[in-house]
Amino acid sequence: MTTADHLDRAVADPIGLITDLVADVENDLDSETIRTVVATVAGGRAKSRQLAKALTIRPAVLTDGRSPAPRAVGDLLIELRKAGASAIAPPVCVECGKKLRTLRRKGQDWYCGVCGQETAECTTCGNVRRVGFRDRKGLPRCSMCPDHDDRDPVTVVHELITAIAPGADRDAVAEALRRTAPDRPHYRRRVVWAVEENPRLLTGEGYLAPHRAILKFIDLLHEAGVAGIVRPACPRCHRVVRIDKPLDGQRVCRNCIAKSRVEECVRCGARREPATRDDQGRPLCPHCLITDPANTELCISCGERRRVQNRTADGPLCPNCCPLPVLVCAICDGCISRRIRACVTS
């Protein structure tokens, strides 16, 4: 088969194509085992097609393990090696060539833990070293210059909230802070630092939050009934809804972020947020994505090529042929035998 044929198959049957490409190289694994590993790594339709396309364009990555390549390729190599593959190469560091068991990436390149670390001038000692972490102002520090803060985060934030609402329950504040990032104490400390720098985040200016968790902290305080805490409105549409999308230095709602990304669909001309892009990088709207012939299949009931609504053991069903769920009718007061029918849920 030519490369063009493989690229066509990467759209129609990505899992099968990847399995065949791996089987051409690897003799220690049977096709069924390879297919199982591929299906686990490849995931959904878009990711599996991307993986199949990458292996079609450069199949040598299966034997040399070298990037640049998508992360899914590296994950596939690692999982195949775990399954017992011997001819499949593990991913290797782009700089030193070390064989990798886990991936650390910059763009489409793979690095080991030593080569992939960022270096910069430490803001405290002035030495150019690997960046161990960033301090409360976002400046780089080496591992020898920790950003010490021995204060209790709960005490700090409780004092700030008490200045806004005297008599605020310390236990409620402590529980809200804990639930903000249950398993990340260092992140909770960053939340406290940000609130300490700008307490107005808690009284309506939460859309300026530098950390996403601050918005969750505000919601938890509001749910706990802490007086004086104000949930922020979206700075663009002024609705009090969830705002966690960064845009021009502010946090906005999902609707406003979608409006900021509006482009003209290359196929139907509709101006909407792109759902995907074609091979030339041109935008496609959600309707054109789901109605694209490459994304439709033959319905086993009506025989028409349509969008898949449901998959059964026998094959795909389109929206028109998908059976209604059998439920107990919420309106009918008749006998049980008449109330259990295919129903439309309200």
Side-chain angles (χ1 to χ4, degrees):
M1 295 180 68
T2 65
T3 302
D5 293 334
H6 276 144
L7 289 175
D8 290 339
R9 192 182 174 196
V11 174
D13 182 24
I15 301 298
L17 174 59
I18 299 169
T19 301
D20 290 345
L21 291 174
V22 173
D24 290 341
V25 175
E26 181 57 52
N27 296 321
D28 289 347
L29 298 178
D30 59 83
S31 296
E32 190 59 35
T33 301
I34 294 174
R35 190 178 186 89
T36 301
V37 174
V38 170
T40 302
V41 173
R45 181 172 59 196
K47 184 179 178 181
S48 62
R49 288 177 176 177
Q50 180 194 36
L51 178 56
K53 183 178 179 180
L55 293 179
T56 297
I57 295 174
R58 188 173 175 273
V61 70
L62 293 171
T63 53
D64 62 27
R66 295 193 174 276
S67 55
R71 181 185 181 91
V73 175
D75 291 337
L76 177 63
L77 299 181
I78 291 172
E79 293 303 319
L80 287 171
R81 296 282 298 184
K82 289 181 180 179
S86 58
I88 299 297
V92 298
C93 175
V94 71
E95 290 189 3
C96 67
K98 178 182 177 180
K99 296 180 180 179
L100 307 176
R101 288 182 293 180
T102 58
L103 286 183
R104 185 188 297 264
R105 298 190 309 149
K106 286 184 180 178
Q108 297 235 327
D109 288 321
W110 305 328
Y111 292 85
C112 65
V114 175
C115 297
Q117 292 189 0
E118 178 187 4
T119 59
E121 181 180 334
C122 176
T123 189
T124 301
C125 66
N127 294 319
V128 178
R129 293 174 175 170
R130 294 173 189 159
V131 177
F133 61 95
R134 294 187 177 271
D135 62 16
R136 67 191 72 184
K137 296 182 179 179
L139 300 176
R141 292 199 184 197
C142 66
S143 58
M144 304 298 292
C145 301
D147 188 4
H148 288 297
D149 187 352
D150 297 328
R151 299 174 300 169
D152 179 16
V154 175
T155 301
V156 174
V157 76
H158 181 251
E159 290 176 355
L160 294 171
I161 294 175
T162 302
I164 300 170
D169 184 9
R170 178 186 170 88
D171 291 338
V173 173
E175 178 63 14
L177 184 60
R178 186 195 67 79
R179 291 175 58 191
T180 297
D183 303 318
R184 302 174 64 186
H186 295 294
Y187 190 38
R188 292 200 297 268
R189 190 175 294 276
R190 291 186 178 277
V191 169
V192 173
W193 286 342
V195 173
E196 184 180 26
E197 184 175 348
N198 182 13
R200 293 188 301 275
L201 294 173
L202 301 177
T203 57
E205 294 188 6
Y207 60 88
L208 298 175
H211 305 297
R212 189 176 177 184
I214 294 175
L215 298 167
K216 182 178 180 180
F217 181 48
I218 293 171
D219 286 340
L220 291 171
L221 289 173
H222 191 268
E223 291 174 6
V226 178
I229 302 301
V230 179
R231 294 183 63 208
C234 175
R236 295 207 168 197
C237 65
H238 308 294
R239 296 181 302 151
V240 180
V241 293
R242 181 178 179 182
I243 53 170
D244 59 355
K245 308 296 181 184
L247 179 65
D248 298 333
Q250 298 178 331
R251 300 277 174 175
V252 302
C253 67
R254 179 65 185 87
N255 189 42
C256 288
I257 200 72
K259 290 180 179 179
S260 72
R261 297 171 179 171
V262 166
E263 296 184 54
E264 184 176 317
C265 177
V266 71
R267 291 188 182 175
C268 69
R271 291 190 57 80
R272 302 177 66 183
E273 180 185 16
T276 188
R277 295 183 182 274
D278 62 14
D279 294 338
Q280 288 77 44
R282 299 174 300 178
L284 294 176
C285 71
H287 175 74
C288 291
L289 170 65
I290 64 175
T291 57
D292 190 301
N295 297 330
T296 59
E297 299 181 35
L298 287 177
C299 174
I300 60 172
S301 179
C302 65
E304 297 290 335
R305 191 172 187 86
R306 292 176 176 169
R307 175 173 64 89
V308 177
Q309 177 70 19
N310 196 8
R311 294 186 183 276
T312 68
D314 298 322
L317 290 171
C318 71
N320 291 342
C321 299
C322 187
L324 294 172
V326 177
L327 304 171
V328 177
C329 180
I331 300 175
C332 178
D333 290 328
C335 63
I336 296 297
S337 62
R338 298 183 60 187
R339 290 172 58 195
I340 300 178
R341 290 290 184 270
C343 301
V344 177
T345 57
S346 58

Short mmCIF file of all heavy atoms in Angstrom, two decimals, residues 153-213:
data_model
loop_
_atom_site.label_atom_id
_atom_site.label_comp_id
_atom_site.label_asym_id
_atom_site.label_seq_id
_atom_site.Cartn_x
_atom_site.Cartn_y
_atom_site.Cartn_z
N PRO A 153 -1.07 28.81 57.01
CA PRO A 153 -1.91 29.38 55.95
C PRO A 153 -3.33 29.69 56.42
O PRO A 153 -3.91 30.70 56.01
CB PRO A 153 -1.90 28.31 54.87
CG PRO A 153 -0.67 27.51 55.12
CD PRO A 153 -0.47 27.53 56.60
N VAL A 154 -3.89 28.83 57.27
CA VAL A 154 -5.25 29.05 57.75
C VAL A 154 -5.33 30.32 58.59
O VAL A 154 -6.26 31.12 58.44
CB VAL A 154 -5.75 27.84 58.57
CG1 VAL A 154 -7.12 28.13 59.17
CG2 VAL A 154 -5.81 26.60 57.69
N THR A 155 -4.34 30.52 59.44
CA THR A 155 -4.32 31.73 60.26
C THR A 155 -4.23 32.98 59.40
O THR A 155 -4.93 33.97 59.63
CB THR A 155 -3.13 31.68 61.24
OG1 THR A 155 -3.25 30.53 62.08
CG2 THR A 155 -3.09 32.93 62.10
N VAL A 156 -3.37 32.93 58.37
CA VAL A 156 -3.18 34.08 57.49
C VAL A 156 -4.48 34.42 56.78
O VAL A 156 -4.94 35.58 56.78
CB VAL A 156 -2.05 33.81 56.47
CG1 VAL A 156 -1.97 34.97 55.47
CG2 VAL A 156 -0.72 33.64 57.18
N VAL A 157 -5.11 33.45 56.16
CA VAL A 157 -6.31 33.73 55.37
C VAL A 157 -7.50 34.05 56.28
O VAL A 157 -8.37 34.86 55.92
CB VAL A 157 -6.62 32.55 54.42
CG1 VAL A 157 -7.22 31.37 55.17
CG2 VAL A 157 -7.53 32.97 53.28
N HIS A 158 -7.54 33.46 57.48
CA HIS A 158 -8.63 33.77 58.41
C HIS A 158 -8.55 35.22 58.86
O HIS A 158 -9.58 35.90 59.00
CB HIS A 158 -8.58 32.83 59.61
CG HIS A 158 -9.68 33.07 60.59
ND1 HIS A 158 -9.47 33.63 61.84
CD2 HIS A 158 -11.03 32.86 60.50
CE1 HIS A 158 -10.62 33.74 62.47
NE2 HIS A 158 -11.58 33.28 61.69
N GLU A 159 -7.35 35.72 59.09
CA GLU A 159 -7.19 37.12 59.47
C GLU A 159 -7.64 38.05 58.35
O GLU A 159 -8.27 39.09 58.59
CB GLU A 159 -5.73 37.40 59.83
CG GLU A 159 -5.29 36.74 61.13
CD GLU A 159 -3.81 36.96 61.42
OE1 GLU A 159 -3.13 37.55 60.54
OE2 GLU A 159 -3.35 36.54 62.50
N LEU A 160 -7.34 37.67 57.11
CA LEU A 160 -7.77 38.48 55.97
C LEU A 160 -9.30 38.50 55.87
O LEU A 160 -9.91 39.55 55.61
CB LEU A 160 -7.17 37.92 54.68
CG LEU A 160 -5.64 38.02 54.54
CD1 LEU A 160 -5.18 37.23 53.32
CD2 LEU A 160 -5.21 39.47 54.42
N ILE A 161 -9.93 37.34 56.06
CA ILE A 161 -11.38 37.26 55.96
C ILE A 161 -12.04 37.97 57.14
O ILE A 161 -13.09 38.61 56.99
CB ILE A 161 -11.82 35.78 55.87
CG1 ILE A 161 -11.32 35.17 54.55
CG2 ILE A 161 -13.33 35.65 55.97
CD1 ILE A 161 -11.58 33.69 54.41
N THR A 162 -11.44 37.88 58.32
CA THR A 162 -11.99 38.56 59.49
C THR A 162 -12.01 40.08 59.30
O THR A 162 -12.91 40.76 59.78
CB THR A 162 -11.17 38.21 60.74
OG1 THR A 162 -11.19 36.79 60.93
CG2 THR A 162 -11.75 38.88 61.98
N ALA A 163 -11.01 40.60 58.55
CA ALA A 163 -11.00 42.04 58.27
C ALA A 163 -12.18 42.43 57.38
O ALA A 163 -12.67 43.56 57.43
CB ALA A 163 -9.69 42.42 57.60
N ILE A 164 -12.66 41.46 56.58
CA ILE A 164 -13.82 41.71 55.71
C ILE A 164 -15.12 41.44 56.45
O ILE A 164 -16.07 42.22 56.37
CB ILE A 164 -13.74 40.82 54.44
CG1 ILE A 164 -12.46 41.11 53.66
CG2 ILE A 164 -14.96 41.01 53.56
CD1 ILE A 164 -12.20 40.12 52.53
N ALA A 165 -15.14 40.30 57.16
CA ALA A 165 -16.36 39.88 57.88
C ALA A 165 -15.97 39.46 59.28
O ALA A 165 -15.60 38.29 59.49
CB ALA A 165 -17.04 38.74 57.13
N PRO A 166 -15.99 40.37 60.26
CA PRO A 166 -15.63 40.01 61.64
C PRO A 166 -16.48 38.85 62.16
O PRO A 166 -17.68 38.76 61.91
CB PRO A 166 -15.92 41.30 62.43
CG PRO A 166 -15.82 42.39 61.40
CD PRO A 166 -16.34 41.79 60.12
N GLY A 167 -15.82 37.95 62.84
CA GLY A 167 -16.53 36.82 63.41
C GLY A 167 -16.63 35.62 62.49
O GLY A 167 -17.37 34.68 62.78
N ALA A 168 -15.89 35.63 61.39
CA ALA A 168 -15.93 34.49 60.46
C ALA A 168 -15.44 33.23 61.17
O ALA A 168 -14.46 33.27 61.93
CB ALA A 168 -15.07 34.78 59.24
N ASP A 169 -16.13 32.13 60.95
CA ASP A 169 -15.80 30.86 61.60
C ASP A 169 -14.47 30.32 61.06
O ASP A 169 -14.34 30.06 59.87
CB ASP A 169 -16.93 29.85 61.34
CG ASP A 169 -16.70 28.54 62.08
OD1 ASP A 169 -15.78 28.47 62.92
OD2 ASP A 169 -17.44 27.58 61.81
N ARG A 170 -13.50 30.15 61.95
CA ARG A 170 -12.18 29.67 61.53
C ARG A 170 -12.26 28.25 60.95
O ARG A 170 -11.59 27.93 59.97
CB ARG A 170 -11.21 29.71 62.71
CG ARG A 170 -9.81 29.17 62.38
CD ARG A 170 -8.92 29.09 63.62
NE ARG A 170 -7.70 28.36 63.34
CZ ARG A 170 -6.59 28.91 62.86
NH1 ARG A 170 -6.55 30.20 62.62
NH2 ARG A 170 -5.52 28.16 62.63
N ASP A 171 -13.07 27.40 61.57
CA ASP A 171 -13.18 26.02 61.09
C ASP A 171 -13.75 25.98 59.67
O ASP A 171 -13.31 25.17 58.84
CB ASP A 171 -14.06 25.21 62.03
CG ASP A 171 -13.41 24.99 63.39
OD1 ASP A 171 -12.17 25.09 63.46
OD2 ASP A 171 -14.14 24.72 64.36
N ALA A 172 -14.73 26.84 59.38
CA ALA A 172 -15.30 26.89 58.03
C ALA A 172 -14.27 27.35 57.01
O ALA A 172 -14.18 26.82 55.90
CB ALA A 172 -16.52 27.81 58.01
N VAL A 173 -13.47 28.34 57.41
CA VAL A 173 -12.41 28.84 56.53
C VAL A 173 -11.36 27.74 56.29
O VAL A 173 -10.90 27.52 55.16
CB VAL A 173 -11.75 30.10 57.11
CG1 VAL A 173 -10.54 30.51 56.28
CG2 VAL A 173 -12.76 31.24 57.18
N ALA A 174 -10.98 27.05 57.36
CA ALA A 174 -9.97 25.99 57.25
C ALA A 174 -10.46 24.87 56.34
O ALA A 174 -9.70 24.35 55.50
CB ALA A 174 -9.64 25.45 58.64
N GLU A 175 -11.73 24.48 56.47
CA GLU A 175 -12.27 23.40 55.64
C GLU A 175 -12.36 23.82 54.18
O GLU A 175 -12.06 23.04 53.27
CB GLU A 175 -13.65 22.99 56.16
CG GLU A 175 -14.34 21.91 55.35
CD GLU A 175 -13.59 20.58 55.34
OE1 GLU A 175 -12.67 20.41 56.16
OE2 GLU A 175 -13.94 19.73 54.51
N ALA A 176 -12.75 25.08 53.93
CA ALA A 176 -12.82 25.57 52.55
C ALA A 176 -11.43 25.59 51.92
O ALA A 176 -11.27 25.21 50.76
CB ALA A 176 -13.43 26.97 52.54
N LEU A 177 -10.42 26.01 52.69
CA LEU A 177 -9.06 26.04 52.16
C LEU A 177 -8.55 24.63 51.88
O LEU A 177 -7.91 24.38 50.86
CB LEU A 177 -8.13 26.76 53.14
CG LEU A 177 -6.68 26.95 52.68
CD1 LEU A 177 -6.63 27.77 51.41
CD2 LEU A 177 -5.84 27.59 53.78
N ARG A 178 -8.86 23.69 52.77
CA ARG A 178 -8.43 22.31 52.56
C ARG A 178 -9.06 21.72 51.31
O ARG A 178 -8.39 21.07 50.51
CB ARG A 178 -8.79 21.45 53.78
CG ARG A 178 -8.25 20.02 53.72
CD ARG A 178 -8.93 19.13 54.73
NE ARG A 178 -10.34 18.94 54.42
CZ ARG A 178 -10.80 18.08 53.49
NH1 ARG A 178 -9.94 17.37 52.77
NH2 ARG A 178 -12.09 17.96 53.30
N ARG A 179 -10.35 21.96 51.11
CA ARG A 179 -11.06 21.39 49.95
C ARG A 179 -10.67 22.08 48.64
O ARG A 179 -10.91 21.55 47.57
CB ARG A 179 -12.57 21.51 50.17
CG ARG A 179 -13.11 20.60 51.28
CD ARG A 179 -14.58 20.85 51.52
NE ARG A 179 -15.38 20.64 50.31
CZ ARG A 179 -16.65 21.00 50.19
NH1 ARG A 179 -17.25 21.62 51.19
NH2 ARG A 179 -17.30 20.78 49.06
N THR A 180 -10.05 23.24 48.73
CA THR A 180 -9.62 23.94 47.52
C THR A 180 -8.59 23.11 46.76
O THR A 180 -8.63 23.03 45.53
CB THR A 180 -9.03 25.31 47.89
OG1 THR A 180 -10.05 26.10 48.50
CG2 THR A 180 -8.50 26.02 46.67
N ALA A 181 -7.66 22.50 47.47
CA ALA A 181 -6.65 21.63 46.85
C ALA A 181 -6.28 20.57 47.88
O ALA A 181 -5.26 20.70 48.57
CB ALA A 181 -5.44 22.44 46.41
N PRO A 182 -7.10 19.52 48.02
CA PRO A 182 -6.94 18.55 49.11
C PRO A 182 -5.56 17.91 49.20
O PRO A 182 -5.05 17.68 50.29
CB PRO A 182 -8.02 17.50 48.82
CG PRO A 182 -9.02 18.21 47.97
CD PRO A 182 -8.24 19.20 47.16
N ASP A 183 -4.96 17.61 48.06
CA ASP A 183 -3.69 16.87 48.06
C ASP A 183 -2.50 17.73 47.64
O ASP A 183 -1.44 17.19 47.31
CB ASP A 183 -3.79 15.66 47.12
CG ASP A 183 -4.94 14.73 47.51
OD1 ASP A 183 -5.11 14.51 48.72
OD2 ASP A 183 -5.65 14.26 46.61
N ARG A 184 -2.67 19.05 47.67
CA ARG A 184 -1.59 19.93 47.20
C ARG A 184 -1.39 21.09 48.19
O ARG A 184 -1.81 22.22 47.95
CB ARG A 184 -1.92 20.46 45.81
CG ARG A 184 -2.13 19.37 44.77
CD ARG A 184 -2.60 19.95 43.45
NE ARG A 184 -1.57 20.80 42.85
CZ ARG A 184 -1.76 21.52 41.74
NH1 ARG A 184 -2.95 21.48 41.15
NH2 ARG A 184 -0.81 22.27 41.26
N PRO A 185 -0.73 20.83 49.32
CA PRO A 185 -0.52 21.88 50.33
C PRO A 185 0.27 23.07 49.80
O PRO A 185 0.02 24.21 50.20
CB PRO A 185 0.22 21.15 51.45
CG PRO A 185 0.78 19.92 50.83
CD PRO A 185 -0.16 19.54 49.75
N HIS A 186 1.24 22.82 48.91
CA HIS A 186 2.03 23.92 48.36
C HIS A 186 1.15 24.83 47.49
O HIS A 186 1.34 26.05 47.47
CB HIS A 186 3.21 23.38 47.55
CG HIS A 186 4.21 22.62 48.38
ND1 HIS A 186 4.98 23.24 49.34
CD2 HIS A 186 4.54 21.31 48.40
CE1 HIS A 186 5.77 22.34 49.92
NE2 HIS A 186 5.52 21.15 49.37
N TYR A 187 0.22 24.22 46.79
CA TYR A 187 -0.69 25.02 45.96
C TYR A 187 -1.63 25.84 46.84
O TYR A 187 -1.94 26.99 46.53
CB TYR A 187 -1.47 24.10 45.03
CG TYR A 187 -2.26 24.81 43.95
CD1 TYR A 187 -1.76 25.93 43.31
CD2 TYR A 187 -3.52 24.34 43.58
CE1 TYR A 187 -2.49 26.58 42.32
CE2 TYR A 187 -4.25 24.98 42.59
CZ TYR A 187 -3.73 26.10 41.97
OH TYR A 187 -4.45 26.74 40.99
N ARG A 188 -2.08 25.26 47.95
CA ARG A 188 -2.92 26.02 48.88
C ARG A 188 -2.17 27.23 49.42
O ARG A 188 -2.75 28.30 49.59
CB ARG A 188 -3.37 25.12 50.04
CG ARG A 188 -4.34 24.02 49.65
CD ARG A 188 -5.10 23.52 50.86
NE ARG A 188 -4.24 22.92 51.85
CZ ARG A 188 -3.94 21.62 51.90
NH1 ARG A 188 -4.43 20.80 50.98
NH2 ARG A 188 -3.16 21.13 52.85
N ARG A 189 -0.88 27.07 49.67
CA ARG A 189 -0.09 28.20 50.15
C ARG A 189 -0.02 29.30 49.10
O ARG A 189 -0.07 30.50 49.42
CB ARG A 189 1.31 27.72 50.53
CG ARG A 189 2.14 28.77 51.27
CD ARG A 189 3.47 28.18 51.71
NE ARG A 189 3.29 27.13 52.70
CZ ARG A 189 3.15 27.36 54.00
NH1 ARG A 189 3.13 28.61 54.45
NH2 ARG A 189 3.01 26.36 54.83
N ARG A 190 0.06 28.92 47.83
CA ARG A 190 0.08 29.92 46.76
C ARG A 190 -1.26 30.66 46.69
O ARG A 190 -1.30 31.86 46.40
CB ARG A 190 0.39 29.25 45.42
CG ARG A 190 1.82 28.74 45.30
CD ARG A 190 2.12 28.24 43.91
NE ARG A 190 3.50 27.80 43.81
CZ ARG A 190 4.53 28.61 43.58
NH1 ARG A 190 4.31 29.91 43.43
NH2 ARG A 190 5.76 28.15 43.50
N VAL A 191 -2.34 29.94 46.94
CA VAL A 191 -3.65 30.58 46.99
C VAL A 191 -3.68 31.63 48.09
O VAL A 191 -4.16 32.76 47.89
CB VAL A 191 -4.75 29.53 47.20
CG1 VAL A 191 -6.09 30.20 47.51
CG2 VAL A 191 -4.89 28.64 45.96
N VAL A 192 -3.15 31.28 49.25
CA VAL A 192 -3.14 32.22 50.38
C VAL A 192 -2.26 33.42 50.05
O VAL A 192 -2.62 34.57 50.36
CB VAL A 192 -2.64 31.50 51.66
CG1 VAL A 192 -2.45 32.50 52.79
CG2 VAL A 192 -3.61 30.41 52.06
N TRP A 193 -1.11 33.20 49.43
CA TRP A 193 -0.22 34.31 49.06
C TRP A 193 -0.94 35.28 48.11
O TRP A 193 -0.83 36.50 48.25
CB TRP A 193 1.04 33.78 48.40
CG TRP A 193 2.01 33.15 49.35
CD1 TRP A 193 2.04 33.28 50.71
CD2 TRP A 193 3.07 32.25 49.00
NE1 TRP A 193 3.07 32.53 51.24
CE2 TRP A 193 3.72 31.89 50.23
CE3 TRP A 193 3.53 31.71 47.81
CZ2 TRP A 193 4.82 31.03 50.25
CZ3 TRP A 193 4.63 30.86 47.84
CH2 TRP A 193 5.26 30.52 49.05
N ALA A 194 -1.65 34.72 47.13
CA ALA A 194 -2.35 35.58 46.17
C ALA A 194 -3.45 36.39 46.84
O ALA A 194 -3.62 37.58 46.55
CB ALA A 194 -2.93 34.73 45.04
N VAL A 195 -4.20 35.75 47.74
CA VAL A 195 -5.27 36.46 48.45
C VAL A 195 -4.67 37.51 49.38
O VAL A 195 -5.22 38.60 49.54
CB VAL A 195 -6.15 35.47 49.23
CG1 VAL A 195 -7.16 36.20 50.10
CG2 VAL A 195 -6.88 34.54 48.26
N GLU A 196 -3.54 37.20 50.00
CA GLU A 196 -2.87 38.16 50.88
C GLU A 196 -2.41 39.38 50.09
O GLU A 196 -2.49 40.51 50.57
CB GLU A 196 -1.69 37.49 51.56
CG GLU A 196 -0.97 38.36 52.57
CD GLU A 196 0.19 37.65 53.24
OE1 GLU A 196 0.75 36.70 52.61
OE2 GLU A 196 0.56 38.03 54.36
N GLU A 197 -1.93 39.15 48.85
CA GLU A 197 -1.46 40.26 48.03
C GLU A 197 -2.62 41.13 47.55
O GLU A 197 -2.49 42.35 47.41
CB GLU A 197 -0.68 39.72 46.84
CG GLU A 197 -0.06 40.80 45.96
CD GLU A 197 0.80 40.22 44.86
OE1 GLU A 197 1.11 39.01 44.91
OE2 GLU A 197 1.16 40.97 43.94
N ASN A 198 -3.78 40.50 47.29
CA ASN A 198 -4.95 41.25 46.80
C ASN A 198 -6.21 40.70 47.47
O ASN A 198 -6.91 39.87 46.89
CB ASN A 198 -5.06 41.17 45.29
CG ASN A 198 -6.22 41.98 44.75
OD1 ASN A 198 -6.82 42.79 45.46
ND2 ASN A 198 -6.57 41.75 43.49
N PRO A 199 -6.55 41.16 48.68
CA PRO A 199 -7.75 40.66 49.38
C PRO A 199 -9.04 40.95 48.63
O PRO A 199 -10.06 40.31 48.89
CB PRO A 199 -7.71 41.41 50.72
CG PRO A 199 -6.29 41.86 50.89
CD PRO A 199 -5.78 42.11 49.50
N ARG A 200 -9.02 41.90 47.69
CA ARG A 200 -10.24 42.23 46.95
C ARG A 200 -10.69 41.08 46.06
O ARG A 200 -11.82 41.10 45.54
CB ARG A 200 -10.01 43.49 46.10
CG ARG A 200 -9.80 44.75 46.93
CD ARG A 200 -9.78 45.99 46.05
NE ARG A 200 -8.73 45.93 45.04
CZ ARG A 200 -7.47 46.30 45.26
NH1 ARG A 200 -7.10 46.75 46.45
NH2 ARG A 200 -6.57 46.21 44.28
N LEU A 201 -9.83 40.08 45.90
CA LEU A 201 -10.25 38.89 45.16
C LEU A 201 -11.47 38.23 45.81
O LEU A 201 -12.29 37.61 45.13
CB LEU A 201 -9.10 37.88 45.10
CG LEU A 201 -7.86 38.28 44.29
CD1 LEU A 201 -6.76 37.25 44.47
CD2 LEU A 201 -8.20 38.43 42.81
N LEU A 202 -11.58 38.39 47.13
CA LEU A 202 -12.67 37.75 47.87
C LEU A 202 -13.94 38.59 47.87
O LEU A 202 -14.99 38.12 48.31
CB LEU A 202 -12.23 37.49 49.32
CG LEU A 202 -11.00 36.61 49.53
CD1 LEU A 202 -10.68 36.52 51.00
CD2 LEU A 202 -11.21 35.23 48.93
N THR A 203 -13.87 39.82 47.40
CA THR A 203 -15.03 40.71 47.49
C THR A 203 -15.52 41.19 46.13
O THR A 203 -16.06 42.29 46.01
CB THR A 203 -14.68 41.93 48.36
OG1 THR A 203 -13.53 42.61 47.82
CG2 THR A 203 -14.40 41.50 49.79
N GLY A 204 -15.31 40.37 45.10
CA GLY A 204 -15.86 40.71 43.79
C GLY A 204 -14.87 40.78 42.67
O GLY A 204 -15.26 40.83 41.50
N GLU A 205 -13.57 40.81 42.98
CA GLU A 205 -12.56 40.89 41.93
C GLU A 205 -11.91 39.55 41.64
O GLU A 205 -10.77 39.46 41.20
CB GLU A 205 -11.49 41.92 42.30
CG GLU A 205 -12.01 43.35 42.35
CD GLU A 205 -10.90 44.37 42.54
OE1 GLU A 205 -9.71 43.97 42.51
OE2 GLU A 205 -11.22 45.56 42.71
N GLY A 206 -12.64 38.47 41.92
CA GLY A 206 -12.11 37.13 41.68
C GLY A 206 -11.76 36.85 40.24
O GLY A 206 -11.00 35.93 39.95
N TYR A 207 -12.32 37.64 39.30
CA TYR A 207 -11.99 37.44 37.88
C TYR A 207 -10.54 37.78 37.59
O TYR A 207 -10.03 37.49 36.50
CB TYR A 207 -12.92 38.29 37.01
CG TYR A 207 -12.85 39.77 37.26
CD1 TYR A 207 -11.93 40.56 36.59
CD2 TYR A 207 -13.71 40.38 38.17
CE1 TYR A 207 -11.86 41.92 36.82
CE2 TYR A 207 -13.65 41.74 38.41
CZ TYR A 207 -12.72 42.51 37.74
OH TYR A 207 -12.65 43.86 37.97
N LEU A 208 -9.83 38.39 38.55
CA LEU A 208 -8.41 38.70 38.41
C LEU A 208 -7.53 37.63 39.06
O LEU A 208 -6.32 37.81 39.17
CB LEU A 208 -8.09 40.06 39.02
CG LEU A 208 -8.79 41.27 38.39
CD1 LEU A 208 -8.47 42.53 39.18
CD2 LEU A 208 -8.38 41.44 36.93
N ALA A 209 -8.13 36.53 39.49
CA ALA A 209 -7.40 35.50 40.23
C ALA A 209 -6.26 34.92 39.39
O ALA A 209 -6.49 34.45 38.27
CB ALA A 209 -8.35 34.38 40.65
N PRO A 210 -5.03 34.93 39.92
CA PRO A 210 -3.91 34.33 39.18
C PRO A 210 -3.93 32.81 39.18
O PRO A 210 -3.30 32.18 38.34
CB PRO A 210 -2.67 34.87 39.92
CG PRO A 210 -3.16 35.13 41.31
CD PRO A 210 -4.59 35.55 41.18
N HIS A 211 -4.65 32.23 40.15
CA HIS A 211 -4.74 30.77 40.25
C HIS A 211 -6.21 30.36 40.17
O HIS A 211 -7.08 30.97 40.79
CB HIS A 211 -4.15 30.26 41.56
CG HIS A 211 -2.73 30.69 41.79
ND1 HIS A 211 -1.69 30.32 40.96
CD2 HIS A 211 -2.19 31.48 42.74
CE1 HIS A 211 -0.57 30.85 41.40
NE2 HIS A 211 -0.84 31.57 42.48
N ARG A 212 -6.46 29.31 39.43
CA ARG A 212 -7.83 28.84 39.23
C ARG A 212 -8.48 28.43 40.54
O ARG A 212 -9.68 28.60 40.74
CB ARG A 212 -7.76 27.66 38.26
CG ARG A 212 -9.07 27.16 37.75
CD ARG A 212 -8.81 26.07 36.73
NE ARG A 212 -10.02 25.47 36.24
CZ ARG A 212 -10.05 24.45 35.39
NH1 ARG A 212 -8.91 23.94 34.96
NH2 ARG A 212 -11.19 23.94 34.98
N ALA A 213 -7.66 27.89 41.48
CA ALA A 213 -8.21 27.39 42.73
C ALA A 213 -8.80 28.49 43.59
O ALA A 213 -9.62 28.21 44.47
CB ALA A 213 -7.13 26.64 43.51
#
